[in-house]
Amino acid sequence: MPINELKDQLKCFFEPESVAIVGASRNPAKFGHFLLKNLIDFEFKGKIYPVNPHANEILGLRAYPSVDQIDDEVDLAVIIVPAPIVPKVMEDCSKKRVKGVVICSSGFSEMGKKGLELERKVLEIAKNSGIRVIGPNTTGILNTSNNFTTSFAPLPKFKRGNVAFIAQTGLFAAAAFWWIISTQPFGISKVVGLGNKCDVDDSEVIDYLAEDKDTEIIAIYMEGVKNGRRLFEVLKRVAPEKPIIILKSGRTATGAKASMSHTGSIAVDDRIFDAVCKQTGVIRVEGDFEELLDVTKAFALQPLPAGNRVAVVTLTGAGGVMAADECERHGLKLATLCEKTLRKIRDRMPSWASISNPVDIEPLFEAVGPEESLRISLEAVLEDENVDCVVAIFVSVPRFVPIIDMKRIVDVIERRRDKPVFVHLLGYKENVDKWTKELEKRKIPVYPSIKRCINALGALWKYKLRREKLKKANLITT
Amino acid sequence: MPINELKDQLKCFFEPESVAIVGASRNPAKFGHFLLKNLIDFEFKGKIYPVNPHANEILGLRAYPSVDQIDDEVDLAVIIVPAPIVPKVMEDCSKKRVKGVVICSSGFSEMGKKGLELERKVLEIAKNSGIRVIGPNTTGILNTSNNFTTSFAPLPKFKRGNVAFIAQTGLFAAAAFWWIISTQPFGISKVVGLGNKCDVDDSEVIDYLAEDKDTEIIAIYMEGVKNGRRLFEVLKRVAPEKPIIILKSGRTATGAKASMSHTGSIAVDDRIFDAVCKQTGVIRVEGDFEELLDVTKAFALQPLPAGNRVAVVTLTGAGGVMAADECERHGLKLATLCEKTLRKIRDRMPSWASISNPVDIEPLFEAVGPEESLRISLEAVLEDENVDCVVAIFVSVPRFVPIIDMKRIVDVIERRRDKPVFVHLLGYKENVDKWTKELEKRKIPVYPSIKRCINALGALWKYKLRREKLKKANLITT
């Protein structure tokens, strides 16, 4: 499908001017109540039409007995009624010439044969009427640019930002969203829950987000792949332009079986999926949601490194050793520091201290204190032309390492925003949390583990390498 | 060395009746001040003798110009003076017939050839006088049972417990200790910083801790191995009795090089070290300090599983899929639940819901609410004779999942303390933190990542398997 046509078709999901909520409820314990309430709480500016044959008014809005009885155009219908009733609602939507539906209800292909039949029936009506479908079995859409959502889970006040999430799961996306909002420094542009993907799938949404000016990074939780060839083409086209990070579960036989009963997903050979990621420049995370966020945070806050030469500045020798181990695992090299850099650091250190990379700043710390030791060493390595990126390892030991003013440290880092800086903190949690907030507020990502810290930096480097390779290949082909 | 002789020799490090602090200082910015202050703050009951030729009194205690001028027996000397002065102090200790010294000072083998010579000189004096040495380049000892420490880093109020740490690093151990105290639910029996290990090494300390009634689990951060054969023998003897968890850095060429300049450690072939762990029943963690704590927490709070059949109880389908993936990676199997168990859960669920393992409790949640859904499902799987251990995945979505009383959930779990229960929580951080505290207070470990959660459970299972194999082999040999 040409990209403009696709954009036209999917626009109703993200920017509907009028939306019907089928299954809206006055009962505050029902999903249909939460859904409507989210739209009202977020002050969505489009027109909202609750649909419920047993109510005249819900949350102050006039309710309609069915979609086709709404006396206005309807761009999008959000359906949250028991699965067996959904075909009837689809018929109403068809009459009303609705452009798209988000089916939140579960009880479809994830429930075995009977559910699969129901899903097919729904899809048939949709195809015949030119209605695009997201779901079923999902929380659907959140668009932070216009405060629109189809989620039936209560959502927190979000922060707008450059990251879009696509998730093939409903409740997880809701809980994950709360986790993101309450722990992550980056903001969100769109969230798309795809559920069973009976119609709209990842490929189309990725293509749509590729054109979305608010989205710079696309993070995906995926269980199954419906159209592998198309996904491959889209990833190949989009990943070199906007980083795509994918967490794909159902990697093992046991996981794939569990996935079948969760979203009705068919297993994909994991090695093939891995190869697809490599060839398209996609960053695949192997872990779970934690790693997806670790890596997403890196892309959201930091530039790509120009090369793979890392300077490790550390207050703990052990931290330096572990960082060195992790760098090697990710194809990162410890930079050979310039003589000038060494001199800048050595100048202030006791004569007995030796200095190399990892830069153990403990002797400097003893000589000039915590803040100065960090400032001097970071400034020196950031100015070093042999250094492409920096890992800083610092600790909080109350009384010993007095409260330092992280703002002054950030000022130093900000002078060289072209070089990624990653931080690992350890020590007294209260201080670690405080410093983390201060640093991340100014876009310097902090990790509570060296492994996770350098894994995230390694992802930036891997992406940079793959992108260059792809762009070169494209130049040759075209 | 016979174990009783070793115990006699090392006792002075953990239970000294009198201790000299060589380099104690009145200057509150000096390490020698912190060191003395820690002992006073902890209300250590033994005799404390500050040694400093330039002071008559420090922190209210009479100071001596040198160790040999103390008019009492001295079990242990803690040395925190510049490296070049240490040989002189050793001579004094020798005259005084001190049993052991902890050398906190750095500037020895980790600093190259000159430092190595100095270290050899110190060791020679020690050998000639029968003095045992811990360090140099370390924070030394913390014994929580008698409030004794040789650490020059300010320490937090600790919690006594069943875990001993051995760490080949100083400041890291200090920061790590603050991190443990402010984030972990388990308590500590001993901390031993070994530094450059010029004399006392891991093997001896492990043997000592094997006999320590306060220690049930031994967690180790290691960079180098000095006497591989001896370490192998000790691990083989102790690991089947008390779980030993080792984080060994310097795994890669780059890491090994960094380790050389940190603790003067010689590289060990990582594959050999890996094989040693497998053969001795040691659990090796590959990651960093975070994984060491994840796994240590599991051993500290939970029993070993009788078998590898896991029931996954989850409020999120995606969580179930990822848990299934991780179980397979760690040799854990999804249990085939008894018909009785399925009936107990199905009874309260809507008719359309299907049930298997992972047990997706979302439909149960909708029918009976959050607390009841967790209670019913956990009770059912814990009573199932086909289930050896349980992974519970739960989310906090404010308003949607109301605040539930975790105490009632723990009551259910406590009825079957023979089966390990591991929890992963996701959602609104404030609630997640609150629930985590409530659960961990009652010895149910919680992890913010499914991968880390099942990795820790997997470590228990791996240990159980290895231990059984070793015990069987020992039966055959003897």
Side-chain angles (χ1 to χ4, degrees), chain A residues 31 34 37-38 41 106-107 110-111 152-156 168-169 171-172 174-176 178-180 182-183 221 223 247-256 258-262 286-291 315-322 324-329 332 334 352-354 356-358 360 362-363 365-366 393 395-401 424-430 432-433 448-452, chain B residues 31 34 37-38 41 106-107 110-111 152-156 168-169 171-172 174-176 178-180 182-183 221 223 247-256 258-262 286-291 315-322 324-329 332 334 352-354 356-358 360 362-363 365-366 393 395-401 424-430 432-433 448-452:
Chain A
F31 290 156
F34 282 119
K37 199 166 176 306
N38 273 339
D41 287 351
S106 55
E110 82 279 9
M111 288 295 175
F152 55 85
L155 295 179
Q168 190 176 9
T169 178
L171 188 56
F172 192 84
W178 277 92
W179 182 248
I180 292 167
S182 56
T183 63
Y221 170 77
E223 287 189 4
L247 166 64
K248 163 131 182 13
S249 68
R251 288 173 295 153
T252 63
T254 319
S259 169
M260 181 67 217
S261 67
H262 174 225
E286 293 220 331
D288 61 357
F289 202 64
E290 185 172 76
E291 192 183 343
L315 190 54
T316 89
V321 178
M322 285 188 265
D325 274 338
E326 294 302 320
C327 281
E328 184 162 327
R329 282 188 52 207
L332 300 165
L334 291 181
W352 54 263
S354 70
S356 56
N357 184 16
D360 188 337
E362 205 269 337
F365 170 92
E366 282 186 52
I393 298 172
V395 304
S396 159
V397 177
R399 298 194 296 279
F400 191 45
V401 181
H424 164 61
L425 295 176
L426 191 77
Y428 180 45
K429 189 170 184 298
E430 204 174 287
V432 167
D433 287 350
S449 135
I450 291 172
K451 191 182 175 185
R452 285 164 57 193
Chain B
F31 290 156
F34 282 120
K37 198 167 178 305
N38 273 340
D41 288 351
S106 55
E110 82 280 10
M111 288 296 173
F152 55 85
L155 296 179
Q168 189 175 10
T169 178
L171 187 57
F172 193 85
W178 277 93
W179 181 248
I180 292 168
S182 55
T183 64
Y221 170 77
E223 286 189 5
L247 167 64
K248 167 137 179 5
S249 67
R251 287 173 294 153
T252 62
T254 319
S259 170
M260 181 66 217
S261 67
H262 174 224
E286 294 221 330
D288 61 358
F289 201 64
E290 184 172 78
E291 191 182 343
L315 189 53
T316 88
V321 178
M322 285 188 266
D325 274 338
E326 294 302 320
C327 281
E328 184 161 326
R329 283 189 50 207
L332 300 164
L334 291 181
W352 53 263
S354 71
S356 56
N357 184 16
D360 188 338
E362 205 269 337
F365 171 91
E366 282 186 53
I393 298 170
V395 303
S396 158
V397 177
R399 299 193 296 277
F400 191 45
V401 181
H424 164 60
L425 294 177
L426 191 77
Y428 181 45
K429 188 169 185 299
E430 202 174 290
V432 166
D433 287 349
S449 133
I450 290 172
K451 191 181 174 186
R452 285 163 58 191

Side-chain angles (χ1 to χ4, degrees), chain B residues 388-426:
Chain B
D388 300 310
C389 37
V390 175
V391 171
I393 298 170
F394 205 66
V395 303
S396 158
V397 177
R399 299 193 296 277
F400 191 45
V401 181
I403 299 297
I404 64 174
D405 187 359
M406 273 296 165
K407 288 192 201 90
R408 286 199 56 214
I409 307 298
V410 182
D411 289 342
V412 169
I413 297 173
E414 279 199 338
R415 269 179 243 146
R416 290 306 300 260
R417 267 295 183 194
D418 55 321
K419 297 187 180 181
V421 176
F422 282 64
V423 176
H424 164 60
L425 294 177
L426 191 77

Side-chain angles (χ1 to χ4, degrees), chain A residues 143-209:
Chain A
N143 182 0
T144 64
S145 73
N146 65 352
N147 296 352
F148 177 66
T149 187
T150 68
S151 175
F152 55 85
L155 295 179
K157 207 173 135 51
F158 50 77
K159 195 166 83 190
R160 287 185 187 133
N162 57 356
V163 179
F165 280 91
I166 306 176
Q168 190 176 9
T169 178
L171 188 56
F172 192 84
F177 191 64
W178 277 92
W179 182 248
I180 292 167
I181 294 299
S182 56
T183 63
Q184 295 299 316
F186 57 79
I188 286 175
S189 60
K190 310 259 185 301
V191 179
V192 188
L194 286 172
N196 296 1
K197 301 186 195 173
C198 84
D199 178 25
V200 175
D201 68 0
D202 311 82
S203 312
E204 289 177 303
V205 176
I206 293 167
D207 251 342
Y208 186 85
L209 292 173

Side-chain angles (χ1 to χ4, degrees), chain B residues 114-184:
Chain B
K114 230 174 117 184
L116 184 62
E117 268 168 39
L118 201 61
E119 194 169 302
R120 280 194 185 134
K121 200 166 163 189
V122 165
L123 189 59
E124 201 191 317
I125 304 169
K127 293 277 182 211
N128 290 337
S129 343
I131 298 176
R132 297 303 311 265
V133 182
I134 284 184
N137 189 22
T138 187
T139 42
I141 304 291
L142 170 69
N143 181 0
T144 64
S145 74
N146 65 351
N147 296 353
F148 177 66
T149 187
T150 68
S151 175
F152 55 85
L155 296 179
K157 207 173 134 51
F158 51 76
K159 195 167 84 190
R160 287 187 185 131
N162 57 355
V163 179
F165 280 90
I166 305 176
Q168 189 175 10
T169 178
L171 187 57
F172 193 85
F177 191 63
W178 277 93
W179 181 248
I180 292 168
I181 295 299
S182 55
T183 64
Q184 296 298 316

Side-chain angles (χ1 to χ4, degrees), chain B residues 9 21 71 92 130 137 168 180 183 204 213 226 237 243 262 266 326 406 410 419 426 431 439 476:
Chain B
Q9 284 193 11
I21 311 295
D71 43 13
D92 296 345
N137 189 22
Q168 189 175 10
I180 292 168
T183 64
E204 289 178 302
K213 64 172 180 25
K226 290 245 157 115
R237 189 167 60 241
H262 174 224
I266 310 296
E326 294 302 320
M406 273 296 165
V410 182
K419 297 187 180 181
L426 191 77
N431 286 355
L439 289 164
I476 293 163

